[in-house]
């Protein structure tokens, strides 16, 4: 993949850290990666990285907001989720700096997936 090493590490740390932190004992967190090929002149292949967990799902109204600065999902029995609400927004900014995308999917009773893409080569740049 084409990415700044330190920034790529930060991109991965927050979604993985959040899923580990909030997945109940006995739950599961899975991280994988695969190449999404693109065709055509100048097309760039992308790395797709889903971070999947068995944590309780996130309400539909919170799915977009969870990537915003200072947003925290309210959990049953808690006024607020611990943390400043910056980690995922930082990951989003870093992914976008690499011209990738990040999003979250969640289904009731099935956990959630944070997914991000990063380019295999410098988008629009000179590549060897």
């Amino acid at each position: 993949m084409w990415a700044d090493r330190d920034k790529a590490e930060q991109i991965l740390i927050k979604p993985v850290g959040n899923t580990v932190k909030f997945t109940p004992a006995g739950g599961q967190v899975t991280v994988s990666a695969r190449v999404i090929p693109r065709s055509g002149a100048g097309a760039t292949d992308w790395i797709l990285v889903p971070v999947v967990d068995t944590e309780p799902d996130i309400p539909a109204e919170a799915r977009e907001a969870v990537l915003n600065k200072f947003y925290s999902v309210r959990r049953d029995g808690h006024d607020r989720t611990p943390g400043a609400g910056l980690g995922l927004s930082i990951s989003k900014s870093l992914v976008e700096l690499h011209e990738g995308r990040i999003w979250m999917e969640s289904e009731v009773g099935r956990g959630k997936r944070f997914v991000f893409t990063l380019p295999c080569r410098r988008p629009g740049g000179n590549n060897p």
Side-chain angles (χ1 to χ4, degrees):
M1 101 179 116
W2 176 84
D4 176 278
R5 180 179 166 201
D6 293 335
K7 289 177 180 54
E9 185 176 316
Q10 286 298 314
I11 290 167
L12 188 58
I13 284 173
K14 291 306 174 182
V16 171
N18 280 6
T19 57
V20 168
K21 180 170 36 174
F22 296 114
T23 298
Q28 183 176 347
V29 175
T30 306
V31 180
S32 60
R34 66 184 170 104
V35 174
I36 304 297
R38 298 287 189 239
S39 60
T44 300
D45 293 344
W46 292 84
I47 302 290
L48 179 90
V49 181
V51 179
V52 182
D53 65 34
T54 55
E55 167 192 346
D57 57 292
I58 292 186
E61 64 276 4
R63 291 182 192 148
E64 287 291 322
V66 75
L67 295 170
N68 294 339
K69 288 181 184 174
F70 307 115
Y71 185 83
S72 293
V73 175
R74 296 201 186 283
R75 305 275 177 189
D76 289 340
H78 298 92
D79 287 338
R80 189 169 186 280
T81 299
L86 289 172
L88 292 173
S89 68
I90 290 169
S91 289
K92 179 182 177 189
S93 295
L94 294 174
V95 165
E96 290 172 349
L97 282 172
H98 289 84
E99 298 186 28
R101 292 182 48 233
I102 186 169
W103 65 95
M104 200 261 314
E105 302 167 348
S106 183
E107 293 181 44
V108 174
R110 301 208 29 134
K112 66 177 176 2
R113 289 173 25 122
F114 282 100
V115 184
F116 65 88
T117 60
L118 291 173
C120 291
R121 300 177 62 173
R122 175 182 232 145
N126 296 329
N127 292 292

